[in-house]
Amino acid sequence: MKKVRKNDLVNLIAQFYCNFVNLQPVSDIAKGTCGVYINVDSIYIQVLDFNRFDSDEEQEARLQKFAEQIEAITFGNLKVTYKGCKHGINFKSWLYIANAYEVEFLE
């Protein structure tokens, strides 16, 4: 199992999330200061987004593109296992990502 630093994994997820789902500054996504939260452990990664989006269909398409690209760039070591969104009074998108990396929690 390949070892990765938690910060590197968070930054990778933040970059791809910015590229394919929510155009926010990558540093803000990584820090969790813009309504997007990334929780990492050695088993799975949870990404929650509480920002407004236009429609469920468009958001689902963005989440799917993210899933395809993150899996490709990590050669399957990160795989989105569950994703979805809720459009309405409260907005929420979520991704659960299976993690095959051994995470080093060094800062």
Side-chain angles (χ1 to χ4, degrees), residues 43-107:
I43 300 169
Y44 81 98
I45 300 164
Q46 179 186 47
V47 182
L48 300 174
D49 185 345
F50 296 96
N51 291 293
R52 182 178 185 89
F53 54 88
D54 295 329
S55 72
D56 287 349
E57 295 78 21
E58 288 179 17
Q59 190 71 354
E60 285 283 349
R62 290 183 193 113
L63 295 173
Q64 181 61 38
K65 187 67 172 173
F66 170 91
E68 292 167 0
Q69 295 300 314
I70 201 74
E71 187 173 337
I73 197 70
T74 63
F75 303 104
N77 287 312
L78 297 179
K79 182 169 179 62
V80 175
T81 57
Y82 183 66
K83 62 183 171 24
C85 60
K86 180 181 177 187
H87 180 261
I89 295 171
N90 297 316
F91 293 86
K92 184 177 179 183
S93 301
W94 57 89
L95 292 160
Y96 291 91
I97 305 167
N99 179 14
Y101 292 117
E102 182 179 339
V103 178
E104 294 181 345
F105 291 91
L106 306 172
E107 294 298 322

Side-chain angles (χ1 to χ4, degrees), residues 4-77:
V4 295
R5 291 185 305 199
K6 178 184 175 188
N7 287 343
D8 291 342
L9 204 48
V10 167
N11 288 332
L12 175 69
I13 299 291
Q15 181 65 59
F16 274 72
Y17 203 81
C18 172
N19 290 351
F20 298 106
V21 182
N22 188 338
L23 187 57
Q24 298 275 350
V26 174
S27 61
D28 289 349
I29 293 173
K31 292 177 193 171
T33 58
C34 66
V36 179
Y37 304 96
I38 302 170
N39 301 310
V40 174
D41 68 27
S42 289
I43 300 169
Y44 81 98
I45 300 164
Q46 179 186 47
V47 182
L48 300 174
D49 185 345
F50 296 96
N51 291 293
R52 182 178 185 89
F53 54 88
D54 295 329
S55 72
D56 287 349
E57 295 78 21
E58 288 179 17
Q59 190 71 354
E60 285 283 349
R62 290 183 193 113
L63 295 173
Q64 181 61 38
K65 187 67 172 173
F66 170 91
E68 292 167 0
Q69 295 300 314
I70 201 74
E71 187 173 337
I73 197 70
T74 63
F75 303 104
N77 287 312

